[in-house]
Amino acid sequence: QVQLVESGGGLVQAGGSLRLSCTASGRTFSNYAMGWFRQAEGKEREFVTAIRWNGGGTSYADSVKGRFTISRDSAKNTVFLQMNSLRPEDTAVYYCAISRRIYIMPRISSDYDYWGQGTQVTVSS
């Protein structure tokens, strides 16, 4: 089994920054991707960003390009989401996830196999 634990959420004013972390433990894989999704109240879960663990290729949703940055620390099995210039519409529960899909950059939730419990991010106006 794989366990994912997110941290770093909280309340921030519009224009501020937060950094989320997600640490994986348990079973490991040789080639996978880690992603961040978010779900605002009353809305469907949406893709935010993903990174391939081998090679470090990344993908971002248009709504966060230029503001959010995903990175990884391989030694710590941890992925980070640096969120700058936050907006009220970024308010959501943020989830990290692992995808075992090898040949694609996974951008939909059904491509992911393991999920964290989520961390709340609230951006006040």
Side-chain angles (χ1 to χ4, degrees):
Q1 272 292 10
V2 175
Q3 292 80 41
L4 298 171
V5 178
E6 302 105 332
S7 62
L11 173 64
V12 65
Q13 288 188 332
S17 298
L18 281 175
R19 189 173 86 150
L20 306 183
S21 301
C22 174
T23 299
S25 61
R27 182 182 175 186
T28 59
F29 308 97
S30 59
N31 190 359
Y32 59 98
M34 288 189 75
W36 288 95
F37 286 73
R38 66 187 181 186
Q39 188 166 17
E41 189 172 350
K43 295 188 177 181
E44 293 186 355
R45 189 171 298 188
E46 65 174 359
F47 172 79
V48 176
T49 180
I51 186 168
R52 291 222 61 92
W53 211 252
N54 296 343
T58 59
S59 179
Y60 294 90
D62 289 344
S63 59
V64 306
K65 278 182 183 176
R67 300 188 300 123
F68 290 11
T69 302
I70 190 170
S71 61
R72 73 197 189 289
D73 183 332
S74 300
K76 297 181 179 180
N77 288 333
T78 298
V79 65
F80 303 99
L81 179 62
Q82 178 66 43
M83 305 185 294
N84 298 328
S85 302
L86 283 161
R87 305 166 181 170
E89 54 264 39
D90 294 317
T91 295
V93 177
Y94 283 71
Y95 299 90
C96 71
I98 285 179
S99 170
R100 295 178 296 175
R101 306 300 185 267
I102 298 176
Y103 299 112
I104 64 169
M105 178 63 78
R107 292 172 59 94
I108 60 176
S109 57
S110 59
D111 283 334
Y112 286 80
D113 305 286
Y114 303 97
W115 293 83
Q117 81 287 351
T119 185
Q120 177 71 45
V121 171
T122 302
V123 184
S124 63
S125 59

